[in-house]
């Protein structure tokens, strides 16, 4: 009875919610329809135009070039402009000087935090901690909205299996399931449950679609793949963002099935809107429409028309829509209805953000002074960064380092304040980031002595270093010979008790247009590392990187490796927390580390092939393998060590048969068998042994992050239903096929326990 009452209450609430939503939508429709009735064709096209802000200095908004355009009603929104004051000034032009007073939307690449910078997304994903990730997006939204911004070009959910691609740093790695969980967490974090609140912002899932699958890892390159692969392996995170209610979607630069995404009607109309029910608006990537001229699809007028017809609503920077759509309309190449639809969607976004009610909603000067880069946010960023680090090796418990004696900190990334935040940290004040040197110093205080030397430049080649340190992220190249710089460091290192080597990539060595064919630690740094090891002192490699690197030599020779990615504005303190054992590392790789670059793309959820290599084998003639290197990764997906050890029991299955409509439970007991408290990510994988199409050798289907005290055990259970076994078959139907399955639970994708079950 009680249950019935509760359910009735819930139902009433739910339908009340649905009714409220419908009436809100009806109100919005009415408002926009009546506004659009007043709009001229030029005003409508203006709404589809998203220029960059250019250089508007505070107080000078009305005299800027962009001001004129806004006054003429040729601008729907602006991006890359910040501060509540400047945005207020610009908004004022739109709402006071244009005929219809339509407010602008203000976008920015708030990718991993705003001024308080969190780890790069690839690092963040290694926390496998959804509340933490959601919280990081929440803080980013609070800060960005306090500075005038109401729309972010995040999350980036492109699945990436190719470490050569610099933009792997911006995503959540190689796995569709993990990527989907993260996409949802980020959308929730940015948008909250009410977009019109002044501290939530609209998210934009990007880059739709398949950008991470570019050939040879070379940025902006071609993509070509089967639909079965798209639906099963690459689409899920975008779809998850749509299901989480993401307000906007960005097109990708690459082509899909021979048609660049920005003109791909199948992608934007059939898949995104019809199949997935997306009802927000689509923006192109930066000049993506214009680039279709080079793709070879026709002149600007042609490609702009194609783009609108494909279902794209807003044109970033290129002004193809603004400049050509009117003529295309006159020539009958596009319809009035198509323009109206795009304009309506842009206006709806503004409505949902509450901008028609109060165009200055996000321009609260007081908030901008009190809610950005606050001690509380920085504290959370520091704790979050520590969760993103992945301990790759720790022989003889070299780590944690004691806070005593002399610690030599060596390497070009050791005192590199400007490089701590990593790629896409456009709102950061680099000078406020905590370098590793400062982090170590404040952690040890007077208990230990920190000595420092640079030891090497980033790379031997000054030109390469220049390309890899753009956007104010200099590493202040030392013009002495490599030997001189190195020898100075060796002298210092010899006098220490332990050496911390801060090596790897600079911040801009990954990110957009930063593809690499050699994904090792650069030359001079490797030479330095070899010399440091020769001192006979214990060496800890603190690895900065925006992508998986090839570390075969390092993994064989350096006793301890802590991968810290780019941890954000508080990275230096966070690294110190982990190095000294105040925080026990618990990050797990979200992307496979190959042994050599020639194995790439290398990922755990691959197919078996007809000639798989027997387990444990290195090479067999006429099997799928290489002559010169085994098929194994250096570090598999899901891998990461801790300062403690976790023991796994065998798997207990509630039943070996899963029947239609029912569920089974798989459990293991995990025990902390070490001496310190630690967190472990318990991972569930499934393999479908026989299918109507070939199925991956393993697929992540669940995970739980648990914390255990020394000696403590916990049973961890996963429920498995038919839904977990579904995939897109060759008709693109989402089905579970009866038959035999293997289930694995373990500490990473390689080291697992197994059990078998059947789906009936
Ligand atoms: C990138 C996008 C980004 C946009 C706006 C493009 O070059 O591909 O990810 O959101 O610029 O800055």
């Amino acid at each position: 009875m009680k249950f019935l009452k509760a359910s009735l209450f819930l139902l009433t609430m739910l339908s009340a919610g649905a009714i409220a939503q419908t009436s809100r939508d009806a109100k919005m429709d009415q408002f926009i329809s009546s506004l659009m009735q007043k709009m001229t064709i030029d005003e409508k096209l203006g709404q589809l135009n998203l220029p960059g802000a250019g250089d508007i200095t505070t107080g000078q908004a009305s005299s800027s070039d962009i001001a004129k355009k806004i006054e003429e009603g040729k601008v729907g929104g602006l991006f890359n402009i910040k501060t509540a004051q400047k945005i207020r000034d610009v908004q004022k032009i739109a709402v006071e000087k244009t005929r219809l007073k339509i407010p602008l939307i203000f976008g920015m690449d708030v990718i991993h935090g705003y001024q308080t910078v969190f780890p790069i997304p690839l690092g963040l994903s290694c926390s496998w901690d959804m509340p933490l990730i959601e919280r990081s997006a929440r803080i980013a939204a609070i800060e960005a909205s306090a500075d005038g911004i109401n729309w972010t070009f995040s999350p980036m959910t492109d699945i990436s299996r190719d470490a050569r691609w610099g933009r792997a740093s911006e995503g959540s790695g190689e796995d569709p399931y993990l990527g989907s969980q993260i996409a949802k967490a980020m959308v929730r974090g940015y948008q909250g449950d009410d977009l019109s609140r002044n501290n939530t912002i609209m998210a934009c899932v990007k880059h739709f679609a398949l950008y991470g699958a570019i050939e040879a890892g070379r940025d902006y390159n071609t993509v070509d793949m089967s639909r079965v692969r798209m639906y099963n392996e690459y689409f899920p995170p975008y779809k998850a963002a749509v299901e989480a209610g993401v307000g906007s979607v960005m097109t990708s630069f690459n082509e899909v099935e021979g048609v660049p995404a920005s003109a791909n009607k199948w992608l934007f109309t059939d898949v995104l809107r019809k199949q997935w029910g997306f009802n927000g608006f689509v923006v192109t990537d930066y000049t993506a429409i214009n680039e279709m001229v080079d793709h070879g699809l026709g002149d600007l007028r042609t490609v702009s028309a194609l783009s609108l017809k494909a279902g794209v609503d807003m044109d970033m920077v290129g002004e193809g829509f603004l400049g050509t759509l009117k003529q295309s309309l006159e020539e009958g190449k596009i319809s009035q209805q198509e323009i109206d639809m795009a304009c309506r969607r842009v206006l709806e976004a503004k409505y949902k953000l509450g901008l028609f009610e109060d165009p200055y909603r996000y321009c609260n000067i007081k908030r901008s002074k009190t809610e950005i880069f606050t001690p509380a946010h920085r504290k959370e960023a520091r704790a979050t960064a520590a969760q993103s680090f992945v301990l790759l090796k720790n022989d003889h418990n070299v780590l944690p380092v004691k806070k005593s004696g002399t610690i030599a900190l060596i390497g070009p990334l050791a005192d590199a304040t400007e490089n701590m935040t990593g790629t896409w940290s456009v709102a950061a004040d680099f000078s406020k980031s905590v370098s590793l040197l400062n982090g170590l110093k404040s952690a040890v205080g007077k208990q230990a002595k920190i000595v420092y030397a640079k030891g090497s430049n980033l790379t031997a080649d000054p030109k390469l270093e220049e390309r890899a340190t753009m956007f104010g992220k200099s590493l202040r190249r030392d013009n002495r010979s490599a030997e001189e710089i190195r020898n100075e460091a060796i002298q210092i290192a010899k006098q220490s008790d332990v050496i911390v080597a801060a090596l790897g990539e600079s911040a801009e060595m990954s990110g957009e247009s930063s593809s690499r064919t050699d994904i090792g630690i650069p030359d001079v740094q490797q030479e330095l590392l070899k010399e440091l090891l020769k001192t006979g002192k214990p060496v800890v490699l603190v690895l900065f990187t925006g992508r998986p690197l090839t570390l075969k030599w390092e993994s064989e020779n350096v006793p301890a490796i802590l991968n810290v990615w780019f941890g954000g504005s508080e990275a230096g303190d966070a690294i110190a927390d982990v190095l000294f054992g105040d925080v026990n590392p618990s990050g797990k790789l979200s992307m496979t580390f190959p042994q050599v670059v020639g194995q790439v793309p290398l990922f755990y959820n691959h197919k078996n092939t007809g000639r798989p290599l027997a387990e444990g084998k290195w090479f067999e003639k006429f099997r799928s393998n290489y002559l010169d290197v085994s098929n194994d990764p250096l570090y598999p997906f899901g891998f990461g060590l801790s300062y403690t050890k976790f023991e796994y029991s065998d798997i207990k299955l509630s039943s070996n048969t899963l029947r239609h409509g029912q569920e089974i439970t798989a459990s293991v007991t995990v025990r902390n068998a070490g001496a310190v408290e630690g967190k472990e990510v318990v991972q569930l994988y499934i393999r479908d042994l026989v299918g109507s199409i070939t199925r991956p050798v393993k697929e992540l289907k669940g995970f739980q992050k648990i914390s255990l005290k020394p000696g403590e055990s916990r049973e961890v259970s996963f429920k498995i239903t038919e839904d977990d076994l579904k995939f897109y078959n060759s008709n693109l139907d989402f089905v579970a096929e009866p038959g035999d399955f293997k289930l694995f639970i373990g500490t990473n994708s390689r080291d697992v326990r197994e059990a078998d079950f059947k789906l009936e």
Side-chain angles (χ1 to χ4, degrees):
M1 190 59 194
K2 224 174 174 181
F3 173 75
L4 200 70
K5 263 192 186 158
S7 321
L8 271 175
F9 176 73
L10 200 70
L11 266 176
T12 323
M13 291 305 285
L14 281 177
S15 49
I19 292 167
Q21 179 64 38
T22 319
S23 88
R24 263 200 305 276
D25 288 354
K27 237 172 104 187
M28 173 172 83
D29 286 351
Q30 223 173 39
F31 176 86
I32 290 174
S33 296
S34 94
L35 174 61
M36 281 182 63
Q37 271 167 16
K38 298 180 209 132
M39 290 173 82
T40 64
I41 178 75
D42 291 315
E43 282 165 335
K44 286 176 181 169
L45 293 179
Q47 289 302 310
L48 316 188
N49 191 30
L50 179 72
D55 194 20
I56 301 174
T57 37
T58 308
Q60 302 299 312
S62 56
S63 59
S64 63
D65 288 346
I66 207 78
K68 205 166 140 257
K69 266 206 177 139
I70 298 171
E71 266 186 67
E72 290 166 0
K74 291 183 174 163
V75 178
L78 274 185
F79 80 104
N80 277 354
I81 172 169
K82 58 172 189 172
T83 81
Q85 185 60 55
K86 264 196 234 175
I87 291 180
R88 175 176 278 275
D89 291 350
V90 176
Q91 188 71 297
K92 203 165 151 60
I93 305 173
V95 296
E96 289 185 8
K97 298 211 172 149
T98 65
R99 196 176 70 93
L100 294 171
K101 309 186 175 356
I102 299 173
L104 303 172
I105 183 170
F106 291 92
M108 191 180 239
D109 290 281
V110 181
I111 307 291
H112 49 112
Y114 189 67
Q115 259 191 46
T116 304
V117 185
F118 287 79
I120 55 165
L122 186 61
L124 206 54
S125 69
C126 294
S127 72
W128 295 55
D129 187 331
M130 298 310 118
L132 197 79
I133 291 174
E134 180 174 338
R135 183 74 195 142
S136 77
R138 184 86 280 280
I139 290 175
I142 293 172
E143 293 199 359
S145 62
D147 222 10
I149 291 143
N150 44 41
W151 179 30
T152 176
F153 305 138
S154 171
M156 191 276 225
T157 64
D158 303 318
I159 292 294
S160 168
R161 298 161 162 184
D162 193 329
R164 292 170 297 183
W165 189 45
R167 301 199 80 171
S169 58
E170 295 175 49
S172 297
E174 72 194 32
D175 186 68
Y177 178 82
L178 179 62
S180 299
Q181 306 309 311
I182 293 174
K184 288 190 271 184
M186 296 200 71
V187 171
R188 281 196 305 266
Y190 290 129
Q191 299 195 161
D193 50 18
D194 179 3
L195 261 181
S196 71
R197 274 178 47 191
N198 73 351
N199 67 2
T200 53
I201 60 179
M202 187 171 278
C204 180
V205 65
K206 69 188 190 185
H207 306 83
F208 196 59
L210 318 179
Y211 187 16
I214 47 170
E215 286 172 2
R218 202 187 73 216
D219 214 356
Y220 318 125
N221 205 0
T222 306
V223 171
D224 200 2
M225 71 168 72
S226 69
R227 288 198 180 180
V228 158
R229 179 167 257 187
M230 293 181 203
Y231 275 81
N232 284 311
E233 302 170 34
Y234 283 80
F235 279 173
Y238 308 113
K239 184 166 184 270
V242 169
E243 283 164 3
V246 72
S248 63
V249 174
M250 188 185 288
T251 69
S252 59
F253 288 125
N254 56 278
E255 64 179 63
V256 172
E257 296 184 321
V259 181
S262 302
N264 198 312
K265 190 164 188 173
W266 175 71
L267 269 186
F268 287 93
T269 300
D270 296 347
V271 178
L272 185 69
R273 296 198 192 277
K274 290 197 187 139
Q275 290 173 22
W276 299 353
F278 174 68
N279 64 6
F281 77 105
V282 172
V283 63
T284 68
D285 202 344
Y286 199 107
T287 63
I289 292 180
N290 315 58
E291 290 169 27
M292 292 195 286
V293 176
D294 279 328
H295 273 286
L297 246 62
D299 60 11
L300 186 59
R301 183 142 45 98
T302 308
V303 293
S304 301
L306 283 173
S307 192
L308 183 81
K309 289 184 96 58
V312 171
D313 306 307
M314 201 175 213
D315 173 2
M316 188 192 285
V317 175
E319 305 209 333
F321 277 4
L322 188 74
T324 72
L325 287 187
K326 198 170 171 184
Q327 191 180 346
S328 294
L329 178 68
E330 283 157 11
E331 288 168 0
K333 302 243 167 70
I334 56 169
S335 67
Q336 180 66 48
Q337 202 195 353
E338 282 160 337
I339 293 178
D340 285 353
M341 202 57 234
C343 177
R344 175 175 289 275
R345 289 183 189 129
V346 172
L347 295 174
E348 279 179 2
K350 296 178 178 183
Y351 187 95
K352 290 177 197 159
L353 285 163
L355 289 169
F356 286 107
E357 226 175 68
D358 176 8
Y360 303 111
R361 174 157 290 184
Y362 305 88
C363 302
N364 181 330
I365 314 285
K366 193 166 142 245
R367 270 191 70 207
S368 71
K369 297 210 169 90
T370 53
E371 294 184 23
I372 299 176
F373 206 62
T374 63
H377 290 173
R378 296 182 62 190
K379 197 169 155 211
E380 292 197 53
R382 175 175 176 169
T384 304
Q387 299 297 308
S388 74
F389 304 157
V390 184
L391 182 63
L392 296 177
K393 187 179 175 191
N394 192 19
D395 275 5
H396 318 298
N397 295 331
V398 171
L399 283 173
V401 172
K402 287 198 191 61
K403 287 182 189 168
S404 64
T406 302
I407 301 165
L409 175 63
I410 311 286
L413 279 313
D415 185 21
T417 316
E418 295 90 337
N419 276 261
M420 302 309 275
T421 55
T423 187
W424 282 120
S425 35
V426 291
D429 176 348
F430 301 147
S431 68
K432 290 187 181 154
S433 294
V434 184
S435 70
L436 180 53
L437 180 58
N438 286 335
L440 292 193
K441 279 185 178 161
S442 60
V444 300
K446 293 202 171 94
Q447 298 176 67
K449 188 169 159 200
I450 309 285
V451 290
Y452 159 77
K454 188 170 182 183
S456 81
N457 281 313
L458 179 71
T459 59
D461 177 1
K463 287 261 160 51
L464 174 56
E465 177 157 342
E466 200 182 312
R467 292 196 287 271
T469 52
M470 287 177 162
F471 310 125
K473 293 182 182 160
S474 168
L475 283 169
R476 289 175 291 277
R477 195 171 171 84
D478 188 329
N479 289 322
R480 291 176 294 167
S481 74
E483 213 183 357
E484 226 178 309
I485 309 172
R486 191 164 58 233
N487 285 343
E488 176 190 67
I490 302 300
Q491 291 319 314
I492 288 175
K494 278 184 179 157
Q495 286 148 32
S496 69
D497 300 301
V498 55
I499 301 169
V500 175
L503 308 177
E505 295 193 321
S506 57
E508 289 301 323
M509 231 158 158
S510 58
E512 187 169 350
S513 188
S514 292
S515 295
R516 295 180 66 195
T517 59
D518 172 354
I519 53 170
I521 294 179
D523 44 24
V524 274
Q525 296 191 60
Q526 280 199 29
E527 287 154 25
L528 168 67
L529 185 59
K530 286 181 183 155
E531 293 303 317
L532 291 173
L533 284 163
K534 284 188 195 156
T535 62
K537 308 275 180 188
V539 175
V540 177
L541 169 57
V542 172
L543 183 73
F544 288 82
T545 181
R547 53 154 63 78
L549 295 182
T550 47
L551 303 166
K552 200 162 179 335
W553 188 91
E554 293 81 352
S555 74
E556 283 160 6
N557 293 283
V558 185
I561 306 176
L562 179 69
N563 185 2
V564 298
W565 309 110
F566 289 94
S569 48
E570 317 308 313
D573 284 331
I575 299 169
D577 289 339
V578 173
L579 284 182
F580 294 117
D582 298 321
V583 176
N584 188 352
S586 58
K588 301 275 190 171
L589 296 177
S590 59
M591 216 175 151
T592 303
F593 274 45
Q595 300 180 64
V596 294
V597 71
Q599 291 178 298
V600 167
L602 184 69
F603 47 96
Y604 85 95
N605 46 355
H606 58 85
K607 303 290 185 74
N608 202 36
T609 80
R611 294 190 174 196
L613 195 61
E615 216 173 290
K617 286 270 185 185
W618 215 88
F619 176 80
E620 273 182 288
K621 196 69 185 165
F622 305 121
R623 294 264 136 196
S624 178
N625 47 214
Y626 300 99
L627 282 174
D628 54 349
V629 67
S630 77
N631 284 350
D632 299 331
L634 184 63
Y635 300 114
F637 174 82
F639 178 84
L641 302 172
S642 163
Y643 293 157
T644 187
K645 285 225 159 358
F646 297 103
E647 287 172 358
Y648 280 68
S649 72
D650 283 338
I651 299 172
K652 269 194 306 191
L653 276 187
S654 61
S655 165
N656 291 93
T657 309
L658 172 58
R659 293 206 168 75
H660 177 68
Q662 299 189 351
E663 62 181 40
I664 57 171
T665 306
S667 337
V668 288
T669 301
V670 184
R671 192 174 95 88
N672 180 345
V676 289
E677 185 168 357
K679 290 189 174 135
E680 167 72 337
V681 181
V682 183
Q683 302 162 35
L684 167 77
Y685 298 87
I686 288 180
R687 175 169 182 183
D688 185 350
L689 287 163
V690 181
S692 59
I693 59 168
T694 60
R695 307 285 293 118
V697 297
K698 248 174 217 165
E699 289 177 291
L700 183 71
K701 292 291 178 181
F703 56 87
Q704 288 177 40
K705 192 169 180 180
I706 56 167
S707 182
L708 293 176
K709 297 213 159 52
E712 190 184 346
S713 299
R714 177 139 356 124
E715 189 179 71
V716 177
S717 302
F718 296 94
K719 286 201 188 327
I720 294 129
T721 70
E722 211 177 326
D723 278 347
D724 298 311
L725 310 179
K726 286 187 174 163
F727 63 95
Y728 291 90
N729 65 15
S730 41
N731 295 323
L732 300 181
D733 295 326
F734 194 52
V735 293
E737 296 176 345
D740 291 329
F741 291 80
K742 266 198 183 311
L743 177 149
F744 315 85
I745 299 180
T747 182
N748 61 58
S749 62
R750 182 190 58 202
D751 303 313
V752 288
R753 304 287 170 129
E754 289 185 30
D756 300 300
F757 71 96
K758 264 189 196 332
L759 172 68
E760 276 186 8

